[in-house]
Amino acid sequence: MPLDFTAIDFETANGFRGSPCSVGLTKVRGGVIVDEGYWLMRPPVGHDHFDSRNITIHGITPDDVATAPRFREVFPEVLDFIGQDALVAHNAAFDVGVIRSASEVSGMASPAFDYACTVILSRKNYSLPSYSLPFVAQEAGVPLLNHHDATEDARACAGIMVDIAAKHGANSVQDIFASMKLAMPHVDAYDPARDEMSKATRSALEKMAEMKAGIAGGAVRGGRVSWSTEGPNPLPNSHADDSHPLFGQTLVFTGDLSLGRPEAKQRAAVYGAQCASNVTLKTTVLVVGSGFTATDLRSGRLTSKAQRVLELQRRGQGIEVLSEGEFMQMIG
């Protein structure tokens, strides 16, 4: 069975993952890139507003997609490109979730997919201070020059998958999972006439309705939610999807994020993470707010908790550092 797959990366217009504004795809045959595709699109009706934070990340503006087709018109072409391939993405829970949520709010069906997440696979194959796409791409020998360009992100993701396959002498995506004794993740098909809207989409729509009504909770400070209250550490959801990148991790938070810390902990626990208040020998992931990006690990702009993490990393403890954007993607 050859190493055939399609790598995919979505960019979204706002904080709702059902608001795709671009998608990049890279097709691999026999471990070699043979084709690439890119589409700009208008997000589904009612979810097509652009947040300034998202524009800052990917540079796509409302004017850029003003004459582009909607997601529901673009998606059939995307499916034709993918064919029967397994999907590969960096933080695949987000990209697979984009397909599901955008399909749900568009009232259209989406097919089932086998997929692979290069965040999860990278954690098991590289030793890095951060498993954000630029760090992993560099380690895999496919440096990423323009992060958050959907085409370049998909291409880098494909290169990472090819490198991981080579490490295991694997000839297919399925062989990679078999060699690591892991089950290959799968997402079921969605039929709006038969299936209920997913919990992730319902929760996001309810949150957006609250925000529009001006009743969102939390003490706002300078347009951001105060993190002054650490809050309790909820028990992790033992029935969560074990293929999610937060499942089984021990998380500590530092800095200001767009969510209050208690809510962030609750959201992480839903996906099977154990949250803690301080960095210890049990810590596996540190989430850093206050505008932090993974590249700050190289520049030294760190909180005291992040400095403690780097110290433990130098001693050999495997702790991953996530930025706010990466964490928010993971929790949908």
Side-chain angles (χ1 to χ4, degrees), residues 9 20 23 37 41 55 60 85 92 103 175-176 196 243 249 257 271 279 301 304 328:
D9 180 79
V23 63
M41 68 192 81
I55 294 173
I60 300 170
D85 284 359
S103 296
D175 283 351
I176 294 172
E196 292 185 358
S243 67
Q249 305 297 321
L257 198 68
Y271 291 100
V279 175
R301 191 177 75 83
S304 58
M328 295 296 281

Side-chain angles (χ1 to χ4, degrees), residues 54-69:
N54 292 63
I55 294 173
T56 299
I57 290 171
H58 51 57
I60 300 170
T61 68
D63 288 344
D64 293 327
V65 302
T67 59

Side-chain angles (χ1 to χ4, degrees), residues 9-87:
D9 180 79
F10 280 101
E11 300 297 332
T12 57
N14 54 66
F16 175 44
R17 66 184 186 180
S19 65
C21 58
S22 74
V23 63
L25 297 118
T26 297
K27 186 175 288 293
V28 172
R29 288 290 177 266
V32 176
I33 293 174
V34 297
D35 197 7
E36 292 186 324
Y38 177 77
W39 286 266
L40 281 172
M41 68 192 81
R42 282 184 295 161
V45 175
H47 305 282
D48 48 5
H49 65 282
F50 278 69
D51 287 349
S52 60
R53 183 168 61 177
N54 292 63
I55 294 173
T56 299
I57 290 171
H58 51 57
I60 300 170
T61 68
D63 288 344
D64 293 327
V65 302
T67 59
R70 294 276 185 192
F71 167 81
R72 67 176 301 116
E73 299 166 293
V74 170
F75 192 50
E77 297 180 54
V78 172
L79 289 180
D80 286 343
F81 188 98
I82 296 169
Q84 299 301 310
D85 284 359
L87 286 180

Side-chain angles (χ1 to χ4, degrees), residues 228-306:
S228 58
T229 303
E230 183 75 35
N233 295 312
L235 292 175
N237 175 16
S238 60
H239 300 293
D241 180 2
D242 62 5
S243 67
H244 192 278
L246 293 180
F247 184 86
Q249 305 297 321
T250 300
L251 267 68
V252 174
F253 297 88
T254 184
D256 288 344
L257 198 68
S258 298
L259 296 175
R261 195 168 297 187
E263 183 177 352
K265 289 184 175 183
Q266 289 286 351
R267 298 280 292 276
V270 167
Y271 291 100
Q274 174 63 66
C275 297
S277 301
N278 297 292
V279 175
T280 69
L281 295 178
K282 293 182 179 179
T283 305
T284 60
V285 174
L286 178 72
V287 179
V288 186
S290 304
F292 171 90
T293 62
T295 54
D296 291 329
L297 290 171
R298 298 188 176 110
S299 66
R301 191 177 75 83
L302 303 172
T303 66
S304 58
K305 285 183 179 178

Side-chain angles (χ1 to χ4, degrees), residues 40-296:
L40 281 172
M41 68 192 81
R42 282 184 295 161
V45 175
H47 305 282
D48 48 5
H49 65 282
F50 278 69
D51 287 349
S52 60
R53 183 168 61 177
N54 292 63
I55 294 173
T56 299
I57 290 171
H58 51 57
I60 300 170
T61 68
D63 288 344
D64 293 327
V65 302
T67 59
R70 294 276 185 192
F71 167 81
R72 67 176 301 116
E73 299 166 293
V74 170
F75 192 50
E77 297 180 54
V78 172
L79 289 180
D80 286 343
F81 188 98
I82 296 169
Q84 299 301 310
D85 284 359
L87 286 180
V88 176
H90 203 71
N91 186 18
F94 171 76
D95 295 279
V96 170
V98 169
I99 293 174
R100 178 64 183 259
S101 290
S103 296
E104 288 174 334
V105 296
S106 298
M108 57 187 289
S110 62
F113 294 105
D114 288 328
Y115 68 92
C117 176
T118 50
V119 171
I120 293 175
L121 296 177
S122 295
R123 285 174 176 169
K124 298 178 180 296
N125 286 278
Y126 307 107
S127 179
L128 299 170
S130 169
Y131 291 92
S132 67
L133 187 57
F135 273 80
V136 183
Q138 177 111 20
E139 184 71 12
V142 286
L144 181 59
L145 300 178
N146 189 15
H147 190 21
H148 294 299
D149 174 274
T151 305
E152 293 204 26
D153 283 1
R155 188 185 305 140
C157 180
I160 292 166
M161 197 67 178
V162 171
D163 187 60
I164 291 173
K167 288 179 180 294
H168 291 269
N171 294 318
S172 70
V173 176
Q174 292 82 356
D175 283 351
I176 294 172
F177 281 88
S179 67
M180 299 173 66
K181 296 181 171 55
L182 297 173
M184 188 164 179
H186 176 84
V187 61
D188 292 332
Y190 169 70
D191 182 348
R194 179 194 66 211
D195 302 317
E196 292 185 358
M197 187 174 286
S198 65
K199 182 178 179 181
T201 301
R202 291 199 310 271
S203 297
L205 296 179
E206 289 167 3
K207 178 65 68 176
M208 286 188 288
E210 289 179 1
M211 293 175 68
K212 287 179 180 178
I215 59 173
V220 177
R221 179 180 69 211
R224 303 178 72 84
V225 178
S226 172
W227 275 56
S228 58
T229 303
E230 183 75 35
N233 295 312
L235 292 175
N237 175 16
S238 60
H239 300 293
D241 180 2
D242 62 5
S243 67
H244 192 278
L246 293 180
F247 184 86
Q249 305 297 321
T250 300
L251 267 68
V252 174
F253 297 88
T254 184
D256 288 344
L257 198 68
S258 298
L259 296 175
R261 195 168 297 187
E263 183 177 352
K265 289 184 175 183
Q266 289 286 351
R267 298 280 292 276
V270 167
Y271 291 100
Q274 174 63 66
C275 297
S277 301
N278 297 292
V279 175
T280 69
L281 295 178
K282 293 182 179 179
T283 305
T284 60
V285 174
L286 178 72
V287 179
V288 186
S290 304
F292 171 90
T293 62
T295 54
D296 291 329

